[in-house]
Amino acid sequence: MREQLQAHLEKRVQQCVSNTGSTIHSCQKIEQKKAGLGSRSGEIIKAHAIGTIVTLGEEKEDVRTVQYHVHFKYLIKQKSLFHIEEEIETRTAEFYKGILVEDKEINPYEELVADDEPMDEEEASLARISYQYDRLKAVQYAERWWNSYNPAYKSFEVDCTNYISQCLHAGGAPMRGYPNRSQGWWMRSNNWSYSWTVANSFRWHLPGSKVGLRAKEVSSPEELLLGDVICYDFQGDGRFDHTTIVTAKDAYGMPYVNAHTTNSRMRYWAYEDSTAYTPNIKYKFFSIVDDE
């Protein structure tokens, strides 16, 4: 099984730098990534991947399921600029009588269960919390922890908003609202507000907050600065599923982002190569506001 998975992974790596463009017996995600790069004057120059088996299921009726992680690194050239994009895929492979018959990436947002509540805040009664947002420190934190988990915080299976909240806090955004989970933005004593950990609550907290962490919505991604935030509604149903932080810009001034859940760094903001992407996707672009 390991040999078959390794051979399959090597084919995917080769596909990254191949110019055939065929999606027959190939990974559609990689073709989408290459097409997106091509539309932005970019290309994958080199790719590298390491796979690690996480769980090996028991064989039942000649079928065995394997879950594994793949750490992909892409060396990308766009005009005269080069950068390395990284991503951790979580995949499942199915073997029938020892033969690999299916391999697919897990979409962590496919069966996401709502666990938040409407925010209930009386902003007028809150004293102003003055702070200055250090964008460099937020980005440095995003780079330090993009593929690991700070033990000072609780981590989650769907960890994207928790990670972004940590980045913003590292940049100086103050916590407030403890211990009411439906107020403010905080994590403390193994407890947390909905806005700290849940993408949909975070999306509403940013423009609605009048003190502490707050943001203004802008109309396009190129208006964002390093340390700003993008929120994603993959299904376009009004409920936001995912959050990222801007960590760099490409040759056209468009954002690259870091994220958790599907751990990624220097990924193009639009997520068109994501397993969660749908044609109905909607975005919200938020620029963090401070008291400077």
Side-chain angles (χ1 to χ4, degrees):
M1 282 187 292
R2 293 178 184 272
E3 291 78 8
Q4 292 180 62
L5 286 174
Q6 181 64 32
H8 179 67
L9 184 55
E10 288 174 358
K11 289 180 181 178
R12 294 185 66 220
V13 170
Q14 182 59 37
Q15 184 187 345
C16 291
V17 294
S18 170
N19 295 318
T20 61
S22 173
T23 58
I24 301 175
H25 305 303
S26 64
C27 176
Q28 184 179 5
K29 172 183 176 177
I30 291 174
E31 292 303 317
Q32 290 172 332
K33 180 181 286 289
K34 289 162 63 177
L37 280 166
S39 69
R40 305 190 299 274
S41 305
E43 61 178 323
I44 301 173
I45 300 299
K46 187 176 181 180
H48 178 70
I50 298 176
T52 305
I53 291 177
V54 179
T55 58
L56 186 63
E58 294 183 5
E59 187 169 325
K60 296 180 180 180
E61 297 181 355
D62 295 324
V63 175
R64 174 171 284 181
T65 300
V66 176
Q67 185 176 108
Y68 67 106
H69 291 165
V70 178
H71 185 168
F72 255 105
K73 289 185 179 181
Y74 309 94
L75 175 60
I76 293 174
K77 179 183 179 183
Q78 185 191 41
K79 292 189 173 182
S80 60
L81 300 179
F82 292 82
H83 81 277
I84 294 176
E85 176 184 337
E86 297 185 68
E87 178 185 4
I88 308 298
E89 297 180 338
T90 299
R91 306 184 67 87
T92 57
E94 190 171 282
F95 292 82
Y96 178 68
K97 293 185 176 180
I99 303 299
L100 178 63
V101 294
E102 184 180 53
D103 175 74
K104 63 181 181 180
E105 185 176 1
I106 295 174
N107 177 0
Y109 303 99
E110 201 164 34
E111 298 180 357
L112 192 62
V113 177
D115 63 350
D116 60 342
E117 295 180 355
M119 301 303 289
D120 179 24
E121 302 213 36
E122 293 293 336
E123 295 283 9
S125 65
L126 296 172
R128 177 160 294 279
I129 306 172
S130 180
Y131 83 101
Q132 293 182 1
Y133 184 47
D134 190 325
R135 296 176 179 277
L136 178 58
K137 286 185 177 178
V139 171
Q140 288 173 334
Y141 188 97
E143 286 287 274
R144 166 64 181 85
W145 296 103
W146 80 268
N147 192 31
S148 56
Y149 301 86
N150 188 339
Y153 296 91
K154 182 176 174 61
S155 60
F156 302 86
E157 185 175 351
V158 177
D159 197 61
C160 55
T161 305
N162 177 42
Y163 165 68
I164 300 305
S165 289
Q166 292 175 35
C167 294
L168 300 184
H169 186 56
M175 297 185 193
R176 66 171 182 83
Y178 175 83
N180 192 329
R181 298 192 72 192
S182 63
Q183 290 189 3
W185 175 79
W186 54 272
M187 175 175 276
R188 177 178 167 187
S189 302
N190 204 34
N191 200 2
W192 52 88
S193 66
Y194 296 112
S195 59
W196 183 279
T197 61
V198 181
N200 197 53
S201 291
F202 183 74
R203 171 261 177 275
W204 288 105
H205 176 79
L206 284 178
S209 175
K210 300 297 188 294
V211 297
L213 175 65
R214 57 200 187 278
K216 65 177 180 179
E217 184 177 352
V218 296
S219 59
S220 58
E222 57 265 38
E223 296 178 65
L224 297 174
L225 304 175
L226 300 190
D228 283 338
V229 169
I230 303 176
C231 299
Y232 300 73
D233 172 6
F234 288 121
Q235 299 296 325
D237 59 5
R239 180 177 181 82
F240 282 74
D241 315 284
H242 186 49
T243 318
T244 67
I245 184 169
V246 178
T247 52
K249 293 289 190 81
D250 75 357
Y252 296 99
M254 301 298 281
Y256 291 126
V257 297
N258 285 24
H260 265 196
T261 304
T262 297
N263 295 354
S264 310
R265 68 174 297 269
M266 296 287 282
R267 185 172 188 168
Y268 191 68
W269 70 271
Y271 264 62
E272 293 172 339
D273 61 343
S274 169
T275 56
Y277 178 87
T278 76
N280 299 319
I281 193 170
K282 294 179 181 178
Y283 309 93
K284 288 288 184 180
F285 309 109
F286 290 112
S287 185
I288 304 301
V289 176
D290 63 10
D291 300 289
E292 187 174 12

